[in-house]
Amino acid sequence: MSGTELARAYWADVVRPILERKLPDVPRAAGRLGTGSDVLGLDDDTSRDHDWGLRLTLLVPADSADEVDEVLAASLPAEYQGWPTAFPLTWDPTVRHRVEIAAPADFVRTRTGLDVGGGLSVPDWLSLTGQSVLEVTAGPVFEDTAGEITALRERLAWYPHDVWLHVLAADWTRIEQELPFVGRTGQRGDDLGSRLIAARLVTALVRLGSLLERRWPPYPKWAGTLFGRLPVAPSAGPHLAEALAAPTWPERDAALRAACEVLHERQRAVGLPTLDGPACEPFFDRPFTGLREGVTGALRGAITDPEVRALAHRGGIEQWVDDVGTLTDAGARPRLAGSGPAACG
């Protein structure tokens, strides 16, 4: 049984009946949201060695949260299907039940750092990481009597169109800036340096593939797994794997060029602006691959929102910050993104 299947059964067999008996008038939503590989549907036997078990997200009005918590603490059985209902977590050693109780808007704020129900500005969208959104939108909701968490999940479904174009252009810009260095470092005999840059480019291309398919990219642990499920993966994935495994810089360069062309073609296929012809060209007169200048320009030229057009090229926060502590800090991300175009661009 997967973690989400266990959570669904726990809700139906144990938690929901308690609430029906003792707090029938409290509006509620229940699901398996937040952290954990099971939220992404990726848990396996190894996942069960920590932070896995009878975990559930229960969303109720803020003024009912304490009462609901007290009722469950007093009424839950000691175990269900052989699993304890009270257990510690990595970040909380207290042995207690793991039904996470919060108001819907408060729960979303703990993940995104934002008041999503109040509407999102351009800087707000750029402060989001894919993982923070997935912790709200990826897991199943079993019941939602008030409809509030469903509405908030729908609001986070995807970027506004012009912001989408902006973050796509930001990844192409990063690729443009470093693609020729795979060959240049290799030519100088720095094979390690060439491999390091190739790995950085593969990371950007994997994220770009997710963005093209309108999928929020997860944190790195699962980036390759979820990329492998995208429509573009069968054509792009082998080239990306070859770029990482290639023994020489010319092979590395060629594999990255092929991956860029596949993703550029996919961009055209999904109806987004592209150049006529290939995405890549020789880098001046040198024997390295470069990106054609107009690849990013085609995307930026299609942006009509003046606030988005005014942004600089660095994109969303996880396109220019890679510190794990910062990216997982829901309070820090919006502060970094800033309060206007100049700050967040």
Side-chain angles (χ1 to χ4, degrees):
M1 182 178 289
S2 70
T4 55
E5 290 170 337
L6 181 63
R8 186 184 297 273
Y10 184 41
W11 164 248
D13 294 344
V14 179
V15 179
R16 188 177 189 274
I18 291 172
L19 297 179
E20 288 285 354
R21 289 195 310 271
K22 301 199 172 188
L23 297 169
D25 297 327
V26 175
R28 63 186 184 238
R32 178 66 184 99
L33 311 177
T35 60
S37 301
D38 51 322
V39 174
L40 300 177
L42 299 174
D43 53 314
D44 57 15
D45 289 344
T46 301
S47 306
R48 300 186 181 200
D49 65 359
H50 69 285
D51 298 343
W52 193 98
L54 296 175
R55 295 179 63 184
L56 188 70
T57 308
L58 181 60
L59 304 173
V60 299
D63 58 5
S64 299
D66 288 344
E67 182 182 15
V68 171
D69 185 53
E70 291 170 4
V71 165
L72 290 181
S75 306
L76 287 169
E79 63 176 45
Y80 172 71
Q81 292 199 15
W83 292 92
T85 59
F87 54 97
L89 295 174
T90 303
W91 58 91
D92 179 9
T94 306
V95 176
R96 55 160 291 138
H97 75 76
R98 293 304 167 179
V99 180
E100 182 179 11
I101 302 167
D106 291 341
F107 172 79
V108 174
R109 189 179 295 108
T110 64
R111 308 298 161 176
T112 65
L114 303 172
D115 178 12
V116 173
L120 299 178
S121 66
V122 170
D124 288 341
W125 283 108
L126 296 178
S127 76
L128 293 170
T129 65
Q131 180 63 31
S132 70
V133 177
L134 289 171
E135 290 179 10
V136 176
T137 64
V141 170
F142 310 136
E143 179 179 318
D144 184 10
T145 62
E148 186 176 353
I149 190 61
T150 298
L152 293 172
R153 280 158 60 100
E154 289 172 353
R155 186 161 290 184
L156 288 169
W158 195 240
Y159 292 113
H161 185 74
D162 279 1
V163 179
W164 183 27
L165 296 179
H166 174 69
V167 295
L168 285 167
D171 266 334
W172 279 119
T173 295
R174 180 168 184 167
I175 293 161
E176 179 183 9
Q177 291 168 341
E178 297 195 346
L179 185 57
F181 300 161
V182 172
R184 180 60 174 141
T185 51
Q187 185 191 57
R188 292 284 294 180
D190 182 7
D191 187 64
L192 177 60
S194 177
R195 290 175 183 272
L196 286 171
I197 295 168
R200 286 167 58 88
L201 290 165
V202 168
T203 298
L205 289 162
V206 165
R207 182 174 54 241
L208 180 63
S210 297
L211 295 176
L212 286 172
E213 303 292 357
R214 296 172 60 93
R215 298 289 190 273
W216 293 102
Y219 71 113
K221 177 181 176 181
W222 298 119
T225 300
L226 292 189
F227 177 84
R229 300 178 179 182
L230 298 176
V232 75
S235 51
H239 298 304
L240 297 173
E242 184 180 355
L244 293 174
T248 67
W249 74 258
E251 293 170 283
R252 221 167 283 138
D253 180 276
L256 288 166
R257 180 173 66 248
C260 287
E261 298 297 354
V262 167
L263 290 168
H264 188 245
E265 284 299 316
R266 183 58 182 165
Q267 187 168 301
R268 180 180 291 114
V270 299
L272 294 174
T274 56
L275 292 178
D276 292 333
C280 299
E281 63 184 3
F283 185 66
F284 296 99
D285 294 328
R286 299 178 181 182
F288 320 133
T289 296
L291 200 68
R292 291 174 64 195
E293 182 178 353
V295 171
T296 58
L299 290 164
R300 296 190 190 283
I303 295 172
T304 59
D305 184 330
E307 183 178 3
V308 182
R309 288 181 65 88
L311 296 173
H313 291 189
R314 73 187 190 187
I317 192 166
E318 62 187 337
Q319 293 174 296
W320 55 275
V321 174
D322 64 3
D323 173 65
V324 173
T326 302
L327 292 178
T328 55
D329 187 335
R333 294 192 307 263
R335 292 197 300 272
L336 278 175
S339 58
C344 72

